[in-house]
């Protein structure tokens, strides 16, 4: 399983494909398939089967929804200059309750700011 440096809630920019250059928020991450679901990006039309709900209203027809994108085709957006960047982790030692504890924070490679 590949290491994924993108998390749910991150703002990402699409680097390749039909939606290249567009940005959106990550809805979910599938670690097993190395894919992410981005809000408003890679929208596809699905045909859903007609049926009825408990109240009797009709369901079905054409539904437009997001489709997953491979992780290699998106990059996290730097909060400072709104351009795509890579991420790294910074390990800091913090003293809590008399003992040393290591905390990891994600950092933008481009500007050095926390993500």
């Amino acid at each position: 399983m590949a290491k994924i440096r993108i998390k749910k809630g991150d703002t990402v920019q699409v680097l390749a494909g039909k939606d290249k250059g567009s940005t959106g928020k990550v809805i979910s991450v599938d670690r097993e398939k190395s894919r992410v679901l981005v809000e408003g990006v890679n929208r596809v039309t699905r045909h859903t089967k007609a049926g009825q709900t408990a109240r009797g209203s009709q369901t079905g027809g054409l539904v437009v929804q997001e489709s997953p994108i491979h992780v290699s085709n998106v990059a996290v957006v730097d909060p400072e200059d709104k351009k795509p960047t890579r991420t790294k982790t910074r390990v800091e030692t913090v003293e809590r309750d008399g003992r040393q504890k290591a905390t990891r924070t994600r950092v933008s490679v481009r500007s050095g700011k926390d993500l």
Side-chain angles (χ1 to χ4, degrees):
M1 195 161 49
K3 188 171 192 175
I4 298 177
R5 292 188 168 92
I6 295 174
K7 288 184 171 183
K8 179 180 175 180
D10 282 349
T11 304
V12 294
Q13 183 173 354
V14 180
L15 302 176
K18 65 177 184 177
D19 293 318
K20 180 178 179 178
S22 59
T23 60
K25 193 174 179 182
V26 175
I27 300 169
S28 68
V29 178
D30 186 359
R31 293 176 56 85
E32 292 174 2
K33 295 181 182 176
S34 297
R35 294 186 170 269
V36 292
L37 198 64
V38 183
E39 190 175 32
V41 176
N42 198 22
R43 295 177 64 88
V44 293
T45 305
R46 291 271 159 89
H47 297 263
T48 57
K49 196 170 186 179
Q52 281 188 341
T53 61
R55 290 196 223 157
S57 62
Q58 295 286 330
T59 60
L62 296 176
V63 177
V64 179
Q65 63 186 29
E66 289 90 0
S67 184
I69 306 173
H70 197 267
V71 175
S72 65
N73 294 330
V74 295
V76 178
V77 173
D78 193 327
E80 193 170 282
D81 59 0
K82 307 292 188 259
K83 291 186 179 178
T85 182
R86 292 169 293 141
T87 61
K88 62 181 179 180
T89 57
R90 180 177 63 227
V91 179
E92 298 172 339
T93 56
V94 179
E95 190 172 333
R96 286 190 192 155
D97 301 329
R99 25 174 140 144
Q100 298 287 330
K101 187 169 184 179
T103 58
R104 290 187 180 93
T105 55
R106 292 192 315 147
V107 179
S108 166
V109 173
R110 188 177 182 92
S111 67
K113 299 283 183 187
D114 290 357
L115 293 174

